[in-house]
Amino acid sequence: MATLTDTQIRGAILWTIVGFWPGILSFATPKIAVVALLIRILNPGMPHRIFLWTSTLLCWASLNVCIPVLLTSCDPAKGLWDVQITK
């Protein structure tokens, strides 16, 4: 970052922040497909199905809460990538 201009630094930080939400979703969404596959292959009993779906949906929900928390951690939001902004 020492060789970048201020505008380039702001752009790099902005695109890093924008890239967080697809990254978070890429952790959360495949878990649903894995549970669906496991249930079809293994044919578990009802208590195990409930456990698998509950744990998967709780994981998915908690990971999706990270997105708005990340995007609303600064006020104004532009302060996430522009360090020269003061409140």
Side-chain angles (χ1 to χ4, degrees), residues 29-44 48-49 52-53 56-57:
T29 306
K31 291 178 184 354
I32 296 169
V34 169
V35 166
L37 179 69
L38 286 174
I39 287 176
R40 286 187 142 207
I41 291 173
L42 300 176
N43 197 16
H48 290 114
R49 287 177 191 240
L52 286 170
W53 281 117
T56 301
L57 292 176

Short mmCIF file of all heavy atoms in Angstrom, two decimals, residues 29-44 48-49 52-53 56-57:
data_model
loop_
_atom_site.label_atom_id
_atom_site.label_comp_id
_atom_site.label_asym_id
_atom_site.label_seq_id
_atom_site.Cartn_x
_atom_site.Cartn_y
_atom_site.Cartn_z
N THR A 29 -24.00 -20.90 2.02
CA THR A 29 -24.93 -21.55 1.11
C THR A 29 -24.61 -23.03 0.83
O THR A 29 -25.53 -23.85 0.82
CB THR A 29 -25.03 -20.74 -0.19
OG1 THR A 29 -25.36 -19.40 0.14
CG2 THR A 29 -26.08 -21.30 -1.11
N PRO A 30 -23.36 -23.41 0.62
CA PRO A 30 -23.10 -24.84 0.35
C PRO A 30 -23.47 -25.77 1.51
O PRO A 30 -23.70 -26.96 1.28
CB PRO A 30 -21.60 -24.89 0.09
CG PRO A 30 -21.24 -23.52 -0.35
CD PRO A 30 -22.15 -22.62 0.41
N LYS A 31 -23.54 -25.25 2.71
CA LYS A 31 -23.91 -26.10 3.84
C LYS A 31 -25.32 -26.66 3.66
O LYS A 31 -25.60 -27.80 4.05
CB LYS A 31 -23.79 -25.32 5.14
CG LYS A 31 -22.35 -25.01 5.49
CD LYS A 31 -22.25 -24.22 6.76
CE LYS A 31 -20.87 -23.79 7.11
NZ LYS A 31 -19.75 -24.22 6.37
N ILE A 32 -26.20 -25.88 3.06
CA ILE A 32 -27.57 -26.34 2.82
C ILE A 32 -27.55 -27.50 1.83
O ILE A 32 -28.25 -28.50 2.02
CB ILE A 32 -28.43 -25.17 2.31
CG1 ILE A 32 -28.53 -24.10 3.41
CG2 ILE A 32 -29.81 -25.64 1.89
CD1 ILE A 32 -29.13 -22.80 2.95
N ALA A 33 -26.75 -27.39 0.77
CA ALA A 33 -26.67 -28.47 -0.21
C ALA A 33 -26.06 -29.73 0.39
O ALA A 33 -26.50 -30.84 0.07
CB ALA A 33 -25.85 -27.99 -1.41
N VAL A 34 -25.08 -29.58 1.26
CA VAL A 34 -24.46 -30.75 1.88
C VAL A 34 -25.45 -31.48 2.78
O VAL A 34 -25.53 -32.71 2.77
CB VAL A 34 -23.19 -30.32 2.67
CG1 VAL A 34 -22.68 -31.46 3.54
CG2 VAL A 34 -22.12 -29.85 1.72
N VAL A 35 -26.23 -30.74 3.53
CA VAL A 35 -27.23 -31.38 4.40
C VAL A 35 -28.28 -32.08 3.56
O VAL A 35 -28.68 -33.21 3.87
CB VAL A 35 -27.86 -30.34 5.36
CG1 VAL A 35 -29.10 -30.89 6.03
CG2 VAL A 35 -26.85 -29.93 6.40
N ALA A 36 -28.73 -31.46 2.49
CA ALA A 36 -29.72 -32.11 1.62
C ALA A 36 -29.14 -33.40 1.03
O ALA A 36 -29.84 -34.43 0.97
CB ALA A 36 -30.14 -31.16 0.51
N LEU A 37 -27.89 -33.38 0.63
CA LEU A 37 -27.24 -34.57 0.09
C LEU A 37 -27.09 -35.66 1.15
O LEU A 37 -27.39 -36.83 0.90
CB LEU A 37 -25.87 -34.20 -0.48
CG LEU A 37 -25.05 -35.35 -1.05
CD1 LEU A 37 -25.70 -35.88 -2.32
CD2 LEU A 37 -23.63 -34.88 -1.33
N LEU A 38 -26.66 -35.28 2.35
CA LEU A 38 -26.50 -36.26 3.43
C LEU A 38 -27.83 -36.92 3.79
O LEU A 38 -27.89 -38.13 4.05
CB LEU A 38 -25.89 -35.60 4.66
CG LEU A 38 -24.41 -35.28 4.59
CD1 LEU A 38 -23.98 -34.50 5.82
CD2 LEU A 38 -23.59 -36.55 4.45
N ILE A 39 -28.88 -36.13 3.81
CA ILE A 39 -30.19 -36.69 4.15
C ILE A 39 -30.65 -37.67 3.08
O ILE A 39 -31.21 -38.72 3.39
CB ILE A 39 -31.20 -35.55 4.40
CG1 ILE A 39 -30.88 -34.90 5.74
CG2 ILE A 39 -32.63 -36.07 4.36
CD1 ILE A 39 -31.73 -33.71 6.08
N ARG A 40 -30.39 -37.36 1.82
CA ARG A 40 -30.78 -38.28 0.75
C ARG A 40 -29.94 -39.56 0.78
O ARG A 40 -30.46 -40.64 0.54
CB ARG A 40 -30.64 -37.62 -0.61
CG ARG A 40 -31.72 -36.62 -0.86
CD ARG A 40 -31.64 -36.13 -2.27
NE ARG A 40 -32.99 -35.97 -2.73
CZ ARG A 40 -33.37 -36.05 -3.97
NH1 ARG A 40 -32.49 -36.29 -4.90
NH2 ARG A 40 -34.62 -35.88 -4.29
N ILE A 41 -28.66 -39.43 1.04
CA ILE A 41 -27.78 -40.59 1.00
C ILE A 41 -27.97 -41.48 2.23
O ILE A 41 -28.09 -42.70 2.13
CB ILE A 41 -26.31 -40.17 0.88
CG1 ILE A 41 -26.06 -39.55 -0.49
CG2 ILE A 41 -25.38 -41.35 1.09
CD1 ILE A 41 -24.67 -38.95 -0.64
N LEU A 42 -27.97 -40.87 3.41
CA LEU A 42 -27.95 -41.64 4.65
C LEU A 42 -29.34 -42.00 5.19
O LEU A 42 -29.45 -42.90 6.02
CB LEU A 42 -27.17 -40.87 5.72
CG LEU A 42 -25.71 -40.58 5.36
CD1 LEU A 42 -25.08 -39.73 6.44
CD2 LEU A 42 -24.94 -41.86 5.16
N ASN A 43 -30.37 -41.25 4.76
CA ASN A 43 -31.74 -41.48 5.22
C ASN A 43 -31.82 -41.57 6.75
O ASN A 43 -32.24 -42.59 7.31
CB ASN A 43 -32.32 -42.74 4.58
CG ASN A 43 -33.82 -42.77 4.69
OD1 ASN A 43 -34.45 -41.76 4.96
ND2 ASN A 43 -34.41 -43.94 4.49
N PRO A 44 -31.43 -40.50 7.46
CA PRO A 44 -31.44 -40.53 8.93
C PRO A 44 -32.87 -40.46 9.48
O PRO A 44 -33.82 -40.12 8.77
CB PRO A 44 -30.64 -39.28 9.31
CG PRO A 44 -30.88 -38.35 8.19
CD PRO A 44 -30.99 -39.21 6.96
N HIS A 48 -32.46 -36.82 13.81
CA HIS A 48 -31.22 -36.43 13.16
C HIS A 48 -31.46 -35.42 12.05
O HIS A 48 -30.67 -34.51 11.83
CB HIS A 48 -30.48 -37.66 12.61
CG HIS A 48 -29.93 -38.52 13.67
ND1 HIS A 48 -30.38 -39.81 13.90
CD2 HIS A 48 -28.96 -38.30 14.60
CE1 HIS A 48 -29.72 -40.32 14.91
NE2 HIS A 48 -28.86 -39.43 15.36
N ARG A 49 -32.56 -35.59 11.32
CA ARG A 49 -32.90 -34.61 10.28
C ARG A 49 -33.14 -33.23 10.89
O ARG A 49 -32.65 -32.23 10.37
CB ARG A 49 -34.16 -35.04 9.53
CG ARG A 49 -33.98 -36.18 8.60
CD ARG A 49 -35.32 -36.55 7.98
NE ARG A 49 -35.20 -37.79 7.28
CZ ARG A 49 -35.44 -37.94 6.00
NH1 ARG A 49 -35.84 -36.91 5.29
NH2 ARG A 49 -35.28 -39.11 5.43
N LEU A 52 -29.78 -31.78 11.91
CA LEU A 52 -29.00 -31.32 10.75
C LEU A 52 -29.54 -30.01 10.18
O LEU A 52 -28.79 -29.07 9.93
CB LEU A 52 -28.97 -32.40 9.67
CG LEU A 52 -28.09 -33.61 9.93
CD1 LEU A 52 -28.34 -34.69 8.89
CD2 LEU A 52 -26.63 -33.19 9.93
N TRP A 53 -30.85 -29.96 9.96
CA TRP A 53 -31.42 -28.74 9.37
C TRP A 53 -31.35 -27.55 10.34
O TRP A 53 -31.07 -26.42 9.93
CB TRP A 53 -32.86 -28.97 8.93
CG TRP A 53 -32.94 -29.69 7.63
CD1 TRP A 53 -33.49 -30.92 7.40
CD2 TRP A 53 -32.45 -29.25 6.37
NE1 TRP A 53 -33.36 -31.25 6.09
CE2 TRP A 53 -32.73 -30.24 5.42
CE3 TRP A 53 -31.79 -28.09 5.93
CZ2 TRP A 53 -32.39 -30.14 4.08
CZ3 TRP A 53 -31.45 -27.97 4.59
CH2 TRP A 53 -31.73 -28.99 3.69
N THR A 56 -27.73 -26.31 10.49
CA THR A 56 -27.37 -25.67 9.23
C THR A 56 -28.03 -24.32 9.10
O THR A 56 -27.39 -23.33 8.70
CB THR A 56 -27.78 -26.57 8.05
OG1 THR A 56 -27.10 -27.81 8.17
CG2 THR A 56 -27.42 -25.92 6.73
N LEU A 57 -29.30 -24.23 9.40
CA LEU A 57 -30.00 -22.95 9.27
C LEU A 57 -29.51 -21.93 10.30
O LEU A 57 -29.44 -20.73 10.00
CB LEU A 57 -31.51 -23.16 9.37
CG LEU A 57 -32.10 -23.93 8.17
CD1 LEU A 57 -33.58 -24.18 8.39
CD2 LEU A 57 -31.85 -23.22 6.87
#
